[in-house]
């Protein structure tokens, strides 16, 4: 292929991605620092979040764009990368379990809670690094509910989202999701997370070296193909109309996410992953930032209204008692 | 459990959570008698996730133990306390197999999915709850009810707001969701609201654990789902008398 055409083509098709990629490849100069991006890695236990994070870490290092890495999993034994901030430095998971007589889940949740109390310190450090780093990778605990359905998980996600463009990378165990029912379940849960976080969503179909993600793409693109696959697998009939309605929900859901097939083991798909991340960042600026600011404004307005209301009541009390002594006894 | 005892219903607690720590009511059947998470983690060096999955696979291999344990309680009400990890319901067919087996052993099974009310601050979060419930329950293929727990902890102001989740009007819900998500998810909100409207099993029942009526309400829904009480045989006078369900 002609070299010049090959070089031009990406620019014509996807200017933002190509530009961002070029920026990533050539370290940014002092004048044009790209805005830092938070990537929250979420996924079910065993989906390969941490391995994928390591692959992304290595990829960025190769491009002289080393990311800032934060580990939020207090129970992990060994990490394949060196984390810049590690929750295990702040909280001793085993000690938490014994001190508070908790089981393993309780231990992780409490560790996360304790960490969340120190979040402002963490954000200060991150802000300093934001000058020199572009990507901030956050690894979450292995049990997905602990992050997605906990107060501390929500606080962490919201704080990150308010500071810089934040993208949720939902890691899927592709081989395990190859059955239509499991796939649907997994996607439903992803939809749940989308509603909870309301952030740009990127589904990373991991382990494509074991099972290719082509089936997933087909099911997401062709609603009827998925229905057929589902009908073929399921022999129970009473769930069918419910399943059908759920498929409709999913079909809508897919329009709100982008997907990429990757293999953390072989490195396949990683460049595409980062291209899609850049798309997600653009989406953040176009849609999410305004929404977040609107929410923040609403909160401020509500607070102001509340203060005004309290003040009014206070004035009312003062006027009725005419400044006389009020017996509080 | 308290409620059932008060209404003299024979009920037994079956604990299927190998990592559980303590109980207010001693379970009649306990998976920890067969295997505990601690032992698995110690002996096999698994982490908490791997260990849990191993425990369940072990249970699957030792189903005759479970059958034996449950055999004495064929006519009674069993409450099975299951672990929270959603992977057990979505990715690994263990729970599903267990549900099927229970049905094969002539048990009528209903799934009760519990979600804390604390997280339902607005309609978007409510939809998140609906989605996660559906994700877990769709795999089990058993009748199920969704319960919103800890309603006693919800402030009065919020409680009024939450009434719309328990008697959902799809149009209002979709509008609400549009507001809290800023209009991005309009069609998706519509689709989910339609789902909630068409299938009552997708909507939630409130549960205030301190309110006897609330507990009875949830229980009656569960009973309905499994048609409890329809084929009860009259018991001998010297046994506990079953209260006929006449709510």
């Amino acid at each position: 292929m002609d070299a010049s055409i090959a070089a031009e083509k990406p620019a014509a098709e996807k200017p933002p991605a190509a530009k961002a990629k070029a920026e990533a490849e050539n370290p940014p100069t002092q004048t044009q620092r790209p805005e830092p991006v938070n990537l929250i890695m979420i996924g079910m236990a065993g989906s390969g979040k941490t391995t994928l994070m390591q692959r992304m870490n290595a990829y960025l290092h190769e491009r002289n764009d080393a990311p800032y890495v934060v580990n939020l999993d207090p129970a992990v034994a060994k990490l394949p990368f060196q984390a810049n901030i590690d929750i295990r430095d702040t909280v001793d998971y085993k000690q938490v379990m014994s001190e508070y007589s908790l089981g393993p889940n309780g231990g992780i949740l409490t560790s996360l809670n304790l960490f969340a109390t120190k979040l402002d310190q963490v954000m200060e450090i991150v802000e300093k690094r934001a000058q020199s780093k572009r990507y901030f990778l956050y690894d979450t605990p292995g049990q997905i509910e602990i992050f997605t359905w906990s107060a501390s998980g929500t606080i962490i996600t919201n704080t990150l989202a308010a500071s810089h463009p934040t993208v949720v990378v939902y890691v899927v165990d592709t081989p395990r999701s190859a059955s239509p029912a499991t796939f649907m379940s997994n996607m439903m849960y992803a939809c749940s997370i989308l509603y909870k976080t309301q952030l740009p969503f990127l589904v990373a179909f991991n382990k494509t070296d074991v099972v290719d993600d082509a089936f997933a793409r087909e099911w997401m693109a062709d609603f009827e193909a998925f229905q057929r696959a589902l009908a073929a697998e399921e022999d129970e009939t009473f769930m069918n109309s419910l399943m059908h309605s759920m498929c409709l929900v999913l079909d809508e859901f897919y329009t709100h996410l982008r997907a990429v097939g990757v293999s953390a083991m072989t490195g396949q798909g990683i460049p595409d992953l980062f291209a899609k991340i850049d798309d997600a960042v653009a989406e953040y600026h176009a849609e999410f930032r305004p929404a977040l600011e609107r929410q923040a404004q609403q909160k401020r307005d509500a607070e102001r209204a509340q203060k005004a209301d309290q003040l009014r009541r206070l004035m009312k009390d003062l006027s009725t008692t005419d400044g006389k002594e009020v017996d509080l006894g | 459990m308290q409620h059932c005892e008060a209404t003299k219903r024979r009920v037994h607690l079956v604990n299927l959570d190998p990592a559980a720590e303590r109980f207010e009511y001693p379970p009649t059947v306990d998976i920890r008698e067969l295997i505990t998470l601690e032992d698995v983690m110690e002996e096999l060096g698994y982490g908490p996730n791997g260990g849990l999955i191993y425990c369940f696979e072990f249970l699957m291999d030792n189903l005759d133990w479970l059958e034996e344990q449950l055999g004495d309680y064929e006519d009674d009400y069993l409450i099975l306390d299951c672990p929270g990890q959603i992977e057990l319901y979505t990715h690994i067919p263990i729970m599903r197999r267990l549900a099927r087996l229970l049905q094969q052993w002539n048990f009528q099974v209903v799934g009760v999915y519990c979600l804390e009310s604390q997280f339902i601050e607005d309609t978007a979060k409510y939809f998140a709850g609906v989605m996660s419930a559906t994700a877990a329950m769709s795999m089990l293929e058993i009748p199920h009810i969704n319960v919103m727990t800890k309603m006693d902890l919800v402030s009065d102001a919020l409680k009024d707001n939450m009434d719309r989740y328990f008697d959902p009007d799809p149009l209002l819900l979709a509008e609400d969701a549009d507001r809290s998500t800023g209009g991005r998810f309009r069609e998706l909100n519509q689709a989910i609201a339609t789902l909630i409207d068409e299938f009552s099993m997708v909507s939630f029942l409130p549960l205030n654990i301190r309110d006897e009526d609330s507990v009875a309400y949830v229980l009656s829904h569960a009973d309905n789902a499994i048609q409890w009480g329809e084929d009860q045989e009259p018991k001998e006078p010297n046994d506990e008398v079953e209260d006929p369900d006449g709510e």
Side-chain angles (χ1 to χ4, degrees):
Chain A
M1 201 179 348
D2 192 47
S4 58
I5 296 177
E8 276 174 17
K9 223 165 168 240
E13 277 176 20
K14 290 195 235 174
K19 177 167 176 285
K21 233 172 127 177
E23 274 180 25
E25 281 171 354
N26 307 313
T29 59
Q30 284 290 81
T31 47
Q32 32 122 210
R33 267 212 197 289
E35 200 183 353
V37 175
N38 293 321
L39 299 176
I40 307 183
M41 312 292 291
I42 293 185
M44 305 239 183
S47 54
K49 293 187 292 295
T50 307
T51 318
L52 183 59
M53 233 172 92
Q54 171 47 14
R55 176 56 70 173
M56 288 162 74
N57 188 26
Y59 176 84
L60 290 172
H61 269 282
E62 272 170 38
R63 278 158 178 65
N64 277 331
D65 193 7
Y68 198 74
V69 176
V70 179
N71 172 44
L72 295 176
D73 187 351
V76 66
K78 254 183 359 130
L79 282 176
F81 47 75
Q82 186 66 31
N84 296 96
I85 295 183
D86 193 330
I87 189 178
R88 296 173 301 170
D89 293 334
T90 321
V91 181
D92 183 339
Y93 160 67
K94 292 230 156 74
Q95 198 193 18
V96 163
M97 278 213 296
S98 64
E99 203 172 308
Y100 298 103
S101 306
L102 296 167
N105 286 339
I108 296 179
L109 186 60
T110 309
S111 303
L112 203 63
N113 288 344
L114 290 171
F115 184 79
T117 60
K118 301 219 159 76
L119 193 59
D120 51 342
Q121 287 176 29
V122 174
M123 291 314 290
E124 258 178 59
I125 299 175
V126 166
E127 273 312 304
K128 284 199 201 116
R129 291 284 167 269
Q131 301 305 308
S132 55
K133 299 259 184 212
R134 183 162 187 220
Y135 292 105
F136 289 74
L137 307 181
Y138 295 83
D139 197 7
T140 57
Q143 286 84 345
I144 197 172
E145 310 83 40
I146 293 181
F147 196 76
T148 53
W149 284 99
S150 68
S152 45
T154 311
I155 291 171
I156 293 172
T157 309
N158 290 347
T159 311
L160 291 178
S163 65
H164 294 296
T166 303
V167 178
V168 169
V169 180
Y170 184 72
V171 185
V172 172
D173 188 334
T174 311
R176 281 206 198 263
S177 302
S179 92
T182 312
F183 185 79
M184 180 160 76
S185 230
N186 209 346
M187 288 295 121
M188 286 261 160
Y189 201 73
C191 186
S192 151
I193 298 178
L194 176 70
Y195 265 98
K196 212 145 196 288
T197 60
Q198 293 185 37
L199 288 172
F201 214 78
L202 172 59
V203 178
F205 286 100
N206 197 16
K207 310 190 187 177
T208 52
D209 50 309
V210 179
V211 170
D212 192 78
D213 65 318
F215 73 89
R217 294 170 173 293
E218 201 208 341
W219 285 348
M220 296 200 323
D222 185 353
F223 163 72
E224 282 175 17
F226 180 63
Q227 284 227 292
R228 277 197 300 273
L230 200 60
E233 186 191 72
E234 299 301 310
D235 37 38
E236 296 286 321
T237 49
F238 95 95
M239 295 287 279
N240 275 356
S241 66
L242 176 59
M243 297 281 206
H244 177 86
S245 294
M246 297 204 288
C247 286
L248 287 171
V249 170
L250 283 181
D251 208 40
E252 252 322 305
F253 171 52
Y254 298 146
T255 64
H256 290 279
L257 54 78
R258 41 192 64 74
V260 63
V262 295
S263 165
M265 288 301 272
T266 66
Q268 175 195 343
I270 302 294
D272 196 18
L273 175 76
F274 277 97
K276 298 242 161 72
I277 287 174
D278 290 329
D279 289 345
V281 172
E283 189 190 337
Y284 174 90
H285 283 297
E287 301 188 15
F288 291 82
R289 207 355 113 59
L292 281 172
E293 275 168 12
R294 219 175 326 153
Q295 274 177 3
Q297 185 64 37
Q298 275 174 355
K299 233 187 253 183
R300 281 195 293 270
D301 288 342
E303 268 170 34
R304 218 173 317 168
Q306 202 182 32
K307 279 204 190 107
D309 188 46
Q310 283 172 348
L311 196 61
R312 196 175 38 82
R313 276 195 233 169
L314 180 63
M315 297 307 282
K316 196 156 155 252
D317 285 343
L318 284 177
S319 64
T320 45
T321 56
D322 245 350
K324 290 204 198 91
E325 292 279 318
V326 177
D327 183 16
L328 294 169
Chain B
M1 296 280 301
Q2 266 178 326
H3 179 87
C4 286
E5 279 180 356
T7 57
K8 298 216 185 329
R9 184 193 296 218
R10 264 221 290 268
V11 64
H12 303 276
L13 179 62
V14 178
N15 174 46
L16 291 180
D17 190 350
E21 291 292 298
R22 54 180 200 86
F23 299 96
E24 286 192 26
Y25 283 86
T28 311
V29 179
D30 192 344
I31 191 178
R32 293 172 312 157
E33 282 174 28
L34 182 67
I35 186 169
T36 70
L37 184 64
E38 239 182 289
D39 290 342
V40 167
M41 281 170 64
E42 244 178 70
E43 279 177 43
L44 298 169
Y46 284 141
N49 285 323
L52 193 65
I53 293 172
Y54 184 84
C55 286
F56 269 85
E57 292 185 340
F58 189 77
L59 178 67
M60 285 291 123
D61 287 338
N62 291 282
L63 283 168
D64 41 355
W65 172 87
L66 187 64
E67 191 170 2
E68 207 186 291
Q69 295 278 315
L70 294 178
D72 302 330
Y73 308 111
E74 272 173 18
D75 288 334
D76 299 342
Y77 212 75
L78 299 175
I79 299 181
L80 286 79
D81 194 5
C82 304
Q85 277 75 354
I86 193 157
E87 293 84 354
L88 290 175
Y89 304 87
T90 57
H91 285 53
I92 300 147
I94 286 172
M95 278 296 158
R96 191 183 190 169
R97 237 186 284 164
L98 188 65
R100 287 265 166 84
L101 272 167
L102 286 170
Q103 285 172 329
Q104 273 176 23
W105 294 339
N106 272 330
F107 283 103
Q108 303 281 34
V109 189
V110 62
V112 181
Y113 183 87
C114 298
L115 188 68
E116 278 182 50
S117 55
Q118 308 291 73
F119 298 112
I120 314 301
E121 299 169 326
D122 58 29
T123 309
K125 306 251 174 357
Y126 169 67
F127 278 5
V130 169
M131 287 285 110
S132 72
T134 321
M137 291 319 217
S138 61
M139 290 291 282
L140 292 182
E141 293 186 342
I142 52 176
H144 78 262
I145 61 175
N146 294 328
V147 178
M148 189 141 337
T149 58
K150 308 197 185 176
M151 290 303 289
D152 45 312
L153 299 177
V154 175
S155 69
D156 284 326
L158 238 83
K159 207 176 289 185
D160 294 331
N161 254 349
M162 291 186 77
D163 278 341
R164 66 191 156 167
Y165 301 138
F166 301 124
D167 193 8
D169 178 340
L171 214 57
L172 283 179
L173 272 183
E175 265 175 34
D176 253 347
D178 287 341
R179 238 178 299 142
S180 46
T181 55
R184 283 190 307 278
F185 298 148
R186 197 154 285 137
E187 290 84 14
L188 186 55
N189 291 337
Q190 197 63 48
I192 295 181
T194 313
L195 185 73
I196 295 172
D197 187 40
E198 288 178 4
F199 298 97
S200 60
M201 68 170 89
V202 165
S203 55
F204 281 79
L205 301 169
L207 177 63
N208 178 347
I209 207 89
R210 303 191 195 289
D211 179 359
E212 175 115 19
D213 290 333
S214 178
V215 178
Y217 182 64
V218 171
L219 198 56
S220 70
H221 271 264
D223 291 345
N224 268 338
I226 53 175
Q227 290 139 20
W228 167 264
E230 283 186 8
D231 55 346
Q232 287 292 298
E233 287 160 15
K235 297 283 188 268
E236 299 280 303
N238 53 347
D239 285 342
E240 300 241 296
V241 175
E242 300 285 344
D243 236 33
D245 271 5
E247 316 254 356

